[in-house]
Amino acid sequence: MRVGVLALQGDFEAHMKALKRVGAEPVEVRTAAELDTVRGLIIPGGESTTMLKLMGYYELFEPLRAFGGQRPVFGTCAGAILIASEVLNPSQASLNLVDLTVERNGYGRQLDSRVVSVTQYGLGGDPEVEVVLIRAPIVRRTGGQVLASYLDSPILVDYGRHMAATFHPELTDDTRVHKLFLSKVN
Amino acid sequence: MSYLDNNFRVKIGLAEMLKGGVIMDVTNAEQAAIAEKAGACAVMALERVPSDIRRDGGVARMSAISKIREIMATVSIPVMAKCRIGHFVEANVLEALEVDYIDESEVLTPADEEFHIDKRGYKVPFVCGCRNLGEALRRIAEGAAMIRTKGEAGSGNIVEAVRHMRTVVREMKQLTVLGHEELVAAAKNLQAPLELVEYVHEHGKLPVPNFSAGGVATPADAALCRLLGAEAVFVGSGIYKSSDPEKRAKAIVKACTNYNDAKAVLEASEELGDAMPGLEISKIPEGELLQTRGW
């Protein structure tokens, strides 16, 4: 199963490895032609403003929107910001693939980045999941099904076709979140 | 091993998020806004860009607090700031200011000619420069969560960045083929802790992200660093000493992403105006080299 990882900027390599661990065939995607060859796409963590610029430079914005209209997309951290319907602090353009309002750097600066353990609903197995938050956005509103929350804000949301996480499952050994995404791609 | 505790994972985590990007030196809010608009993944606050430090001489210190605050208030991307080698009070101040990363940098005038900062106790992550693997591993042992090869800052000449990246990559490769019984002697020769030498022996890479700095002046320079093994690139004087900083900043960001595609680098290299004037390294008096600072 060929699953793409948007490789404009950010921790796309960590997602490539995570996809390999769950038995998918990961593909780095930097062009619209590469996007055409995959059945699902992960937009990784990184800097959302940088990725947004690069989507403009390489004319990827519309192809990504069209892809999301047909195939599953999973956004983590900056990726969640990019697929959201509304972005705050500051307001910026987004792909509008899911019903989600996020506030950038909602937990603070790097000194507020943290690793925590939270209760999850719907991933199966261990009720706890380890969560790495790096200058993470905070979810202010969502129309999707919340699979995990931290300090009363959703951090993992299932939208049926798409998924959004404000944390980094790719930076842990836990493969459940990537497995869930893979089940959507299949 | 302390390298895997949660505090260190979070520090490395931010470095992971910067991969594939360009970190730009800025001295004020106006430059920071240009950098963010061009697509920089972070900015580095410093008093003067390296080529000005080189030209004007004198002691180069941590940036004025008001300037750093102004930069932090202007951009939404991570803000890094430089402190002098060994100047742990400048580092304490920068941590209190809540910058996102501290660069204990050879570009500033060292405050201690024997010791670097013990970076392990900080919550804020540090990046440090290196010219070879031993230096990289010593800095990681002190707690650096990101390494950048030094190059020669403010020179506009990529030759030292190439030398340093090639050296680190070659020395890592060499460790991977050694027998286990050879590692203690290798650690002695590298002047680095055995556990880190063992990590590189096993994984063929550093336990933290490895970026490149010092001398990047063109999109092709940035792509060259990436192809030699840099996971992201720092650019200083190369942008604001060129004839059209905005355009050049964008072009370097573009080339850094599609470094492997010559057509994309070609496209990024067109109609850029003049690059910064470069310096031949052999013409720089030895005492004025920045890369030899660090121990």
Side-chain angles (χ1 to χ4, degrees):
Chain A
M1 180 63 58
R2 284 170 66 87
V3 180
V5 183
L6 191 67
L8 296 175
Q9 191 271 324
D11 75 333
F12 52 87
E13 274 174 17
H15 275 292
M16 299 284 290
K17 284 183 194 151
L19 283 171
K20 260 186 211 153
R21 283 201 292 269
V22 297
E25 183 192 340
V27 180
E28 289 185 8
V29 170
R30 292 186 178 81
T31 63
E34 286 164 342
L35 190 58
D36 282 341
T37 71
V38 298
R39 295 175 58 86
L41 182 76
I42 293 179
I43 304 185
E47 282 305 314
S48 61
T49 54
T50 303
M51 286 192 242
L52 207 51
K53 292 287 168 195
L54 286 159
M55 283 179 195
Y57 294 162
Y58 288 112
E59 293 171 1
L60 276 169
F61 196 86
E62 284 309 321
L64 284 168
R65 271 185 59 79
F67 182 89
Q70 309 271 330
R71 309 286 330 166
V73 177
F74 175 28
T76 61
C77 196
I81 296 169
L82 289 164
I83 65 172
S85 46
E86 188 186 14
V87 181
L88 311 171
N89 186 35
S91 152
Q92 66 185 39
S94 55
L95 295 165
N96 192 14
L97 297 180
V98 294
D99 182 12
L100 172 69
T101 301
V102 282
E103 180 183 332
R104 291 184 57 207
N105 302 325
Y107 297 90
R109 304 190 70 94
Q110 172 63 12
L111 285 180
D112 302 298
S113 293
R114 63 196 80 169
V115 180
V116 293
S117 180
V118 308
T119 305
Q120 55 83 17
Y121 324 90
L123 290 175
D126 189 340
E128 297 289 303
V129 62
E130 187 184 45
V131 164
V132 183
L133 294 161
I134 308 283
R135 283 173 50 96
I138 197 162
V139 171
R140 291 299 180 201
R141 194 193 55 77
T142 174
Q145 187 199 349
V146 177
L147 299 185
S149 293
Y150 171 61
L151 299 179
D152 296 331
S153 297
I155 56 170
L156 180 62
V157 187
D158 189 338
Y159 292 92
R161 183 192 302 155
H162 305 307
M163 275 168 66
T166 58
F167 64 101
H168 296 281
E170 74 281 11
L171 297 184
T172 66
D173 295 328
D174 192 334
T175 55
R176 286 177 292 173
V177 177
H178 283 84
K179 272 189 189 143
L180 177 61
F181 181 61
L182 204 59
S183 73
K184 295 179 184 305
V185 180
N186 289 327
Chain B
M1 170 161 120
S2 68
Y3 305 104
L4 294 175
D5 70 18
N6 285 348
N7 184 29
F8 202 64
R9 282 173 68 198
V10 163
K11 291 176 175 182
I12 294 178
L14 181 54
E16 292 285 339
M17 298 311 140
L18 301 174
K19 281 185 178 177
V22 180
I23 300 148
M24 299 184 192
D25 279 357
V26 297
T27 60
N28 56 41
E30 188 195 344
Q31 290 182 350
I34 292 175
E36 183 175 50
K37 199 170 152 227
C41 67
V43 291
M44 171 76 72
L46 76 176
E47 191 187 36
R48 293 171 276 167
V49 294
S51 66
D52 287 342
I53 293 173
R54 194 179 285 291
R55 187 194 62 203
D56 300 340
V59 173
R61 310 180 180 95
M62 173 180 79
S63 195
I65 299 301
S66 60
K67 291 282 178 198
I68 304 174
R69 275 195 201 283
E70 176 187 302
I71 291 164
M72 288 168 69
T74 302
V75 297
S76 61
I77 54 180
V79 175
M80 306 184 173
K82 287 185 191 287
C83 75
R84 285 177 267 179
I85 289 174
H87 205 315
F88 54 87
V89 176
E90 282 188 349
N92 294 346
V93 167
L94 290 173
E95 183 174 57
L97 187 59
E98 300 192 2
V99 301
D100 297 299
Y101 239 94
I102 297 176
D103 185 357
E104 187 186 19
S105 176
E106 71 284 358
V107 169
L108 306 187
T109 311
D112 190 324
E113 296 192 332
E114 276 180 284
F115 303 110
H116 283 250
I117 297 169
D118 180 2
K119 296 166 274 286
R120 290 169 294 187
Y122 288 81
K123 209 167 168 242
V124 64
F126 281 76
V127 52
C128 286
C130 76
R131 291 190 296 166
N132 53 52
L133 182 59
E135 201 175 3
L137 297 182
R138 288 194 293 280
R139 295 297 85 81
I140 295 167
E142 292 158 359
M146 181 203 297
I147 289 297
R148 55 169 177 76
T149 47
K150 287 177 180 171
E152 184 59 28
S155 69
N157 188 338
I158 199 66
V159 67
E160 296 302 300
V162 169
R163 188 191 321 280
H164 300 158
M165 188 52 77
R166 281 203 183 277
T167 302
V168 170
V169 170
R170 181 173 57 242
E171 289 176 335
M172 290 196 294
K173 277 188 199 152
Q174 286 166 345
L175 280 188
T176 63
V177 296
L178 293 186
H180 200 259
E181 72 284 3
E182 295 175 279
L183 295 180
V184 173
K188 182 192 77 175
N189 292 335
L190 288 166
Q191 300 181 44
L194 178 61
E195 60 176 337
L196 289 174
V197 169
E198 284 173 334
Y199 182 95
V200 177
H201 167 70
E202 194 179 324
H203 298 91
K205 61 195 269 298
L206 298 178
V208 305
N210 184 16
F211 294 4
S212 185
V216 173
T218 69
D221 286 347
L224 178 63
C225 291
R226 297 277 276 124
L227 282 166
L228 290 174
E231 295 172 300
V233 175
F234 287 80
V235 188
S237 322
I239 289 173
Y240 294 101
K241 293 295 167 186
S242 70
S243 64
D244 189 341
E246 216 158 316
K247 227 181 211 176
R248 188 159 294 261
K250 271 187 202 171
I252 290 176
V253 169
K254 278 173 85 167
C256 202
T257 289
N258 261 335
Y259 62 95
N260 218 354
D261 177 349
K263 276 191 183 152
V265 180
L266 163 71
E267 209 182 276
S269 307
E270 294 201 69
E271 291 169 34
L272 275 183
D274 297 329
M276 73 177 281
L279 293 171
E280 209 179 305
I281 303 299
S282 62
K283 302 279 164 60
I284 304 174
E286 214 165 298
E288 291 179 20
L289 285 175
L290 301 175
Q291 58 176 276
T292 51
R293 297 163 163 182
W295 356 104

Short mmCIF file of all heavy atoms in Angstrom, two decimals, chain B residues 19-41:
data_model
loop_
_atom_site.label_atom_id
_atom_site.label_comp_id
_atom_site.label_asym_id
_atom_site.label_seq_id
_atom_site.Cartn_x
_atom_site.Cartn_y
_atom_site.Cartn_z
N LYS B 19 13.59 20.12 10.31
CA LYS B 19 14.29 19.44 9.22
C LYS B 19 13.75 19.86 7.85
O LYS B 19 12.56 20.11 7.70
CB LYS B 19 14.16 17.92 9.38
CG LYS B 19 15.11 17.34 10.41
CD LYS B 19 15.00 15.84 10.42
CE LYS B 19 15.99 15.23 11.41
NZ LYS B 19 15.84 13.76 11.46
N GLY B 20 14.66 19.88 6.90
CA GLY B 20 14.27 20.23 5.54
C GLY B 20 14.09 21.73 5.34
O GLY B 20 13.76 22.18 4.25
N GLY B 21 14.29 22.49 6.40
CA GLY B 21 14.02 23.92 6.32
C GLY B 21 15.28 24.78 6.35
O GLY B 21 16.40 24.28 6.35
N VAL B 22 15.05 26.08 6.35
CA VAL B 22 16.14 27.05 6.39
C VAL B 22 15.96 27.94 7.63
O VAL B 22 14.88 28.50 7.83
CB VAL B 22 16.15 27.93 5.12
CG1 VAL B 22 17.30 28.94 5.18
CG2 VAL B 22 16.27 27.07 3.87
N ILE B 23 17.00 28.04 8.43
CA ILE B 23 16.98 28.89 9.62
C ILE B 23 17.80 30.13 9.28
O ILE B 23 18.96 30.03 8.89
CB ILE B 23 17.58 28.14 10.83
CG1 ILE B 23 16.75 26.88 11.10
CG2 ILE B 23 17.63 29.05 12.06
CD1 ILE B 23 17.53 25.73 11.66
N MET B 24 17.15 31.29 9.39
CA MET B 24 17.80 32.51 8.90
C MET B 24 18.24 33.43 10.04
O MET B 24 17.44 33.71 10.95
CB MET B 24 16.84 33.27 7.98
CG MET B 24 16.45 32.47 6.74
SD MET B 24 15.41 33.44 5.61
CE MET B 24 14.83 32.12 4.52
N ASP B 25 19.46 33.93 9.94
CA ASP B 25 19.96 34.94 10.88
C ASP B 25 19.19 36.24 10.69
O ASP B 25 19.01 36.68 9.55
CB ASP B 25 21.43 35.27 10.59
CG ASP B 25 22.38 34.25 11.20
OD1 ASP B 25 21.91 33.32 11.88
OD2 ASP B 25 23.61 34.39 10.99
N VAL B 26 18.76 36.86 11.79
CA VAL B 26 18.11 38.17 11.70
C VAL B 26 18.59 39.03 12.86
O VAL B 26 18.90 38.53 13.94
CB VAL B 26 16.56 38.05 11.73
CG1 VAL B 26 16.05 37.27 10.54
CG2 VAL B 26 16.08 37.40 13.02
N THR B 27 18.66 40.34 12.61
CA THR B 27 19.11 41.23 13.68
C THR B 27 17.97 42.10 14.22
O THR B 27 18.13 42.75 15.24
CB THR B 27 20.25 42.15 13.19
OG1 THR B 27 19.75 42.93 12.10
CG2 THR B 27 21.45 41.36 12.73
N ASN B 28 16.83 42.13 13.51
CA ASN B 28 15.70 42.94 14.00
C ASN B 28 14.38 42.38 13.47
O ASN B 28 14.36 41.41 12.70
CB ASN B 28 15.88 44.41 13.56
CG ASN B 28 16.03 44.52 12.04
OD1 ASN B 28 15.34 43.84 11.28
ND2 ASN B 28 16.94 45.36 11.60
N ALA B 29 13.29 43.01 13.91
CA ALA B 29 11.95 42.51 13.58
C ALA B 29 11.68 42.57 12.08
O ALA B 29 11.03 41.69 11.52
CB ALA B 29 10.90 43.31 14.33
N GLU B 30 12.19 43.61 11.44
CA GLU B 30 11.94 43.78 10.01
C GLU B 30 12.53 42.61 9.21
O GLU B 30 11.88 42.02 8.34
CB GLU B 30 12.56 45.10 9.58
CG GLU B 30 12.23 45.53 8.19
CD GLU B 30 13.15 46.65 7.70
OE1 GLU B 30 13.84 47.28 8.54
OE2 GLU B 30 13.22 46.85 6.48
N GLN B 31 13.78 42.26 9.55
CA GLN B 31 14.42 41.13 8.87
C GLN B 31 13.69 39.83 9.22
O GLN B 31 13.54 38.94 8.38
CB GLN B 31 15.89 41.02 9.29
CG GLN B 31 16.74 42.15 8.74
CD GLN B 31 18.21 42.01 9.12
OE1 GLN B 31 18.56 41.18 9.95
NE2 GLN B 31 19.05 42.82 8.51
N ALA B 32 13.23 39.70 10.45
CA ALA B 32 12.52 38.48 10.87
C ALA B 32 11.24 38.31 10.05
O ALA B 32 10.90 37.20 9.63
CB ALA B 32 12.20 38.53 12.36
N ALA B 33 10.54 39.42 9.82
CA ALA B 33 9.30 39.35 9.03
C ALA B 33 9.60 38.92 7.59
O ALA B 33 8.86 38.12 7.01
CB ALA B 33 8.60 40.71 9.05
N ILE B 34 10.69 39.44 7.03
CA ILE B 34 11.09 39.03 5.67
C ILE B 34 11.39 37.53 5.65
O ILE B 34 10.98 36.81 4.75
CB ILE B 34 12.33 39.83 5.19
CG1 ILE B 34 11.95 41.31 4.99
CG2 ILE B 34 12.91 39.24 3.91
CD1 ILE B 34 13.11 42.21 4.62
N ALA B 35 12.11 37.07 6.67
CA ALA B 35 12.49 35.65 6.73
C ALA B 35 11.24 34.76 6.81
O ALA B 35 11.12 33.78 6.07
CB ALA B 35 13.39 35.40 7.94
N GLU B 36 10.31 35.12 7.68
CA GLU B 36 9.10 34.31 7.84
C GLU B 36 8.28 34.28 6.54
O GLU B 36 7.79 33.25 6.12
CB GLU B 36 8.24 34.85 8.98
CG GLU B 36 7.00 34.01 9.25
CD GLU B 36 6.21 34.49 10.47
OE1 GLU B 36 5.93 35.70 10.55
OE2 GLU B 36 5.90 33.65 11.33
N LYS B 37 8.21 35.44 5.92
CA LYS B 37 7.43 35.56 4.68
C LYS B 37 8.05 34.72 3.55
O LYS B 37 7.34 34.20 2.69
CB LYS B 37 7.35 37.03 4.28
CG LYS B 37 6.23 37.34 3.33
CD LYS B 37 6.04 38.83 3.15
CE LYS B 37 5.46 39.08 1.77
NZ LYS B 37 6.13 40.14 1.03
N ALA B 38 9.36 34.60 3.59
CA ALA B 38 10.05 33.82 2.55
C ALA B 38 9.91 32.33 2.78
O ALA B 38 10.17 31.52 1.90
CB ALA B 38 11.52 34.22 2.50
N GLY B 39 9.51 31.93 4.01
CA GLY B 39 9.36 30.50 4.30
C GLY B 39 10.43 29.93 5.22
O GLY B 39 10.59 28.70 5.29
N ALA B 40 11.15 30.77 5.96
CA ALA B 40 12.12 30.26 6.95
C ALA B 40 11.37 29.40 7.96
O ALA B 40 10.23 29.71 8.31
CB ALA B 40 12.79 31.43 7.67
N CYS B 41 12.01 28.30 8.44
CA CYS B 41 11.34 27.46 9.43
C CYS B 41 11.67 27.94 10.84
O CYS B 41 11.08 27.47 11.81
CB CYS B 41 11.71 26.00 9.25
SG CYS B 41 13.43 25.64 9.59
#
